[in-house]
Amino acid sequence: MVSNQRLGKWGEIKAKQYLEGKGIKIMATNIRTPYGELDLIGMDDSQVVFFEVKTRTSTAFGFGEQAISETKQQHLIDSAEAYMQEHSDLGDDWRIDAIIIDGSPLRNKIEIRWFKNAVSND
């Protein structure tokens, strides 16, 4: 049995490796803001992307993307806006994506799903 914290950290590492393989330049990990934590922050060409990473070992409690509630979405938007205010040199083009990791370090098979613009910041 893998603890939730260790599973989450493992998922973030897998997400980072996956995204870097897709050409995303990861700039920061686990950034705390007054509104919550941003798992990964990267650049997709000139656009800043905030990644929410959800790792699941099974779908017994639903799919990872279902765990991003309206409240969580608002925390992500507020956190992203706070980060962008502190880093105004990055411009104002940003989005929030979700990376869903299905699997665990105890199994060889994992599936990674990338939802672009998973949370609307309009």
Side-chain angles (χ1 to χ4, degrees):
M1 180 74 179
V2 178
S3 74
N4 286 345
Q5 198 170 31
R6 286 185 56 207
L7 181 66
K9 179 54 84 182
W10 173 83
E12 287 176 8
I13 291 167
K14 290 296 180 188
K16 182 176 186 268
Q17 292 169 343
Y18 171 82
L19 291 165
E20 287 173 338
K22 298 287 185 182
I24 301 296
K25 181 181 183 290
I26 300 298
M27 302 183 312
T29 60
N30 304 113
I31 298 298
R32 289 216 159 275
T33 77
Y35 308 100
E37 186 177 82
L38 296 164
D39 294 332
L40 299 172
I41 303 171
M43 292 294 291
D44 187 1
D45 292 322
S46 62
Q47 187 176 45
V48 178
V49 186
F50 299 95
F51 295 96
E52 174 66 10
V53 180
K54 291 291 180 192
T55 306
R56 293 286 184 265
T57 57
S58 79
T59 57
F61 297 104
F63 293 99
E65 56 271 26
Q66 293 172 313
I68 306 174
S69 66
E70 284 187 37
T71 301
K72 177 64 175 176
Q73 290 179 39
Q74 192 58 55
H75 286 296
L76 288 167
I77 292 166
D78 293 343
S79 294
E81 288 176 343
Y83 184 87
M84 292 303 289
Q85 283 179 350
E86 288 182 20
H87 298 87
S88 58
D89 58 309
L90 295 174
D92 59 4
D93 187 15
W94 59 275
R95 71 176 194 257
I96 300 171
D97 292 0
I99 299 289
I100 310 302
I101 309 285
D102 294 316
S104 84
L106 304 177
R107 295 191 308 228
N108 289 331
K109 184 179 178 225
I110 69 167
E111 180 184 346
I112 300 175
R113 293 176 289 134
W114 181 1
F115 295 90
K116 293 184 179 181
N117 293 302
V119 177
S120 175
N121 59 356
D122 296 333

